[in-house]
Amino acid sequence: MKVNVIGGEMSPREIDEYIAYAGRKYPGRQIRQLDIIIDGEFVDIKTYFKDTDFQHAYRSADYLVNTMDKLNDAKQKEFSEKQRHGVGEDE
């Protein structure tokens, strides 16, 4: 992870604390870069995430959902019985 300290200096221990804070604030997300901006007695944090935050989407009829739990029993059954096609596979 790239860390930029802007507007002042910060000890490695302080930087580690801000990295840990960002990790707790955004659990499950991969942080690519952290800008720590010092403004007098205040500190702002700008967080940049990796592009791998793609969520799987399920399509059933005209619905796009990120979890099957949002579909009723009939739609879940319909989805489980669908024939699946691999991406990039030769036929």
Side-chain angles (χ1 to χ4, degrees):
M1 169 191 326
K2 182 176 180 181
V3 178
N4 298 313
V5 178
I6 302 165
E9 292 186 16
M10 193 172 279
S11 73
R13 183 173 177 261
E14 288 176 300
I15 293 170
D16 289 342
E17 288 294 324
Y18 283 107
I19 292 170
Y21 169 78
R24 288 190 306 272
K25 185 172 181 178
Y26 303 105
R29 304 224 27 212
Q30 292 184 341
I31 299 171
R32 173 177 49 90
Q33 179 177 324
L34 197 64
D35 289 345
I36 304 171
I37 305 159
I38 302 171
D39 184 14
E41 293 183 18
F42 299 97
V43 174
D44 293 321
I45 300 172
K46 187 166 186 177
T47 310
Y48 302 87
F49 300 101
K50 291 187 178 180
D51 294 333
T52 59
D53 288 64
F54 176 77
Q55 282 188 334
H56 189 89
Y58 299 94
R59 184 177 189 279
S60 176
D62 292 328
Y63 301 98
L64 279 174
V65 294
N66 61 353
T67 176
M68 295 294 292
D69 298 337
K70 293 181 180 179
L71 300 176
N72 64 29
D73 291 340
K75 286 292 179 189
Q76 287 184 19
K77 184 174 185 207
E78 175 187 327
F79 187 82
S80 70
E81 293 173 351
K82 275 187 145 179
Q83 180 180 2
R84 289 173 176 64
H85 303 282
V87 176
E89 293 179 2
D90 294 333
E91 297 184 33

